[in-house]
């Protein structure tokens, strides 16, 4: 399965790569050069389509669990000052995505969307300390009747030039369902109450929609 955000890009890439091979077969007489071009274009196309893959995930719905919103590696678990919405101290869990990870963003918890905002900004590398506040990003807050309000933030990186966010204020969302997409690698931060038990560790690899990163007790 492929994500809808990739349909146009994959179609354009296919047309261009087919055109390149058609030209090479028409105007290049050396067989090994034509074959090399064919191999390179096939590899490029495979890299493009793997980036937009959208594997179906069977999320176990649980209002007390906060699940990973994306695939990637946990790069930060720290107490920070959340300045945009809560304006107080929270535990921040950051997950970094490499270009080879699945880039679908999923709702870490189900409930009602209370806040959703896009911020234009810079394209610092995703692990830069100021990327959470200065990079292009979107902030979404989902309110759950058991877990309360959970904030997650999509952050663009040096390669990511497009963030897609589907969450709209007052939407009712299901835990694990598609929330958006970040093109070409970046990171997602999740902000939780200070007393929240965190169930992941630094450098741990997680899967969006499956891995439980925290548990908010009733």
């Amino acid at each position: 399965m492929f994500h809808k955000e990739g349909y146009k890009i994959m179609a354009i890439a296919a047309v261009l790569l087919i055109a390149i091979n058609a030209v090479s077969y028409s105007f290049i007489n050396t067989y090994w050069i034509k074959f090399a071009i064919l191999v390179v274009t096939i590899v490029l196309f495979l890299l493009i389509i793997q980036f937009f893959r959208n594997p179906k995930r069977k999320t176990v719905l649980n209002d007390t669990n906060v699940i990973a919103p994306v695939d990637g590696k946990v790069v930060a678990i720290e107490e920070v000052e959340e300045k945009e919405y809560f304006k107080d101290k929270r535990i921040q869990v950051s997950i970094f995505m490499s270009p080879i990870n699945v880039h679908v963003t999923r709702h870490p918890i189900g409930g009602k969307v209370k806040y959703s905002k896009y911020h234009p900004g810079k394209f610092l590398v995703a692990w830069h300390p100021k990327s959470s506040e200065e990079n292009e990003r979107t902030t979404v807050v989902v309110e759950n009747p058991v877990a309360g309000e959970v904030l997650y933030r999509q952050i663009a990186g040096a390669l990511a030039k497009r963030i897609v966010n589907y969450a709209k204020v007052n939407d009712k969302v299901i835990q694990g369902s598609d929330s958006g997409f970040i093109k070409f690698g970046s990171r997602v931060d999740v902000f939780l109450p200070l007393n929240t038990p965190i169930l992941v560790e630094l450098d741990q690899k997680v899967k969006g929609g499956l891995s439980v990163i925290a548990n908010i007790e009733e």
Side-chain angles (χ1 to χ4, degrees):
M1 298 294 294
F2 297 102
H3 199 276
K4 61 183 180 181
E5 296 296 334
Y7 292 164
K8 183 177 179 180
I9 293 175
M10 289 189 293
I12 292 172
V15 171
L16 288 175
L17 295 176
I18 289 171
I20 289 171
N21 280 280
V23 170
S24 73
Y25 270 76
S26 298
F27 296 99
I28 297 176
N29 294 321
T30 306
Y31 175 79
W32 73 266
I33 295 178
K34 292 192 287 187
F35 181 75
I37 292 173
L38 175 63
V39 171
V40 169
T41 53
I42 289 174
V43 171
L44 283 174
F45 187 68
L46 291 176
L47 288 174
I48 291 171
I49 65 173
Q50 72 83 32
F51 178 80
F52 290 104
R53 67 194 188 279
N54 184 15
K56 296 302 178 184
R57 301 280 169 80
K58 198 167 184 178
T59 303
V60 178
L61 303 182
N62 187 324
D63 285 340
T64 64
N65 285 341
V66 179
I67 61 169
V70 289
D71 290 19
K73 184 171 72 171
V74 178
V75 294
I77 302 172
E78 57 188 345
E79 182 180 315
V80 299
E81 184 80 20
E82 200 293 303
K83 300 177 182 179
E84 180 179 349
Y85 182 81
F86 294 118
K87 296 181 174 59
D88 63 12
K89 291 188 180 295
R90 298 274 153 166
I91 296 178
Q92 175 183 314
V93 179
S94 299
I95 301 170
F96 174 75
M97 295 173 287
S98 74
I100 62 172
N101 285 128
V102 172
H103 281 66
V104 180
T105 305
R106 307 172 197 272
H107 293 289
I109 202 156
K112 183 178 181 180
V113 178
K114 298 287 289 184
Y115 182 84
S116 181
K117 189 171 183 178
Y118 166 78
H119 301 273
K122 300 177 182 179
F123 295 97
L124 302 172
V125 290
W127 56 85
H128 193 286
K130 294 185 177 180
S131 63
S132 182
E133 297 178 356
E134 296 187 8
N135 276 20
E136 178 178 318
R137 61 201 182 278
T138 64
T139 302
V140 176
V141 177
V142 175
E143 183 180 48
N144 180 277
V146 175
E149 293 181 328
V150 173
L151 183 153
Y152 62 96
R153 181 173 291 139
Q154 297 173 298
I155 304 170
L159 293 177
K161 303 298 183 183
R162 176 88 191 278
I163 294 177
V164 181
N165 174 32
Y166 303 139
K168 296 179 181 178
V169 174
N170 294 324
D171 279 356
K172 297 288 182 65
V173 298
I174 299 172
Q175 188 177 39
S177 61
D178 281 10
S179 170
F181 197 91
I182 307 179
K183 297 181 179 178
F184 300 108
S186 191
R187 93 169 199 248
V188 173
D189 295 342
V190 181
F191 293 83
L192 303 164
L194 290 179
N195 60 350
T196 303
I198 304 301
L199 305 180
V200 291
E201 300 177 347
L202 285 176
D203 297 326
Q204 181 177 333
K205 293 182 179 180
V206 295
K207 286 194 173 184
L210 295 179
S211 302
V212 179
I213 61 173
N215 179 269
I216 301 177
E217 299 177 355
E218 298 185 49

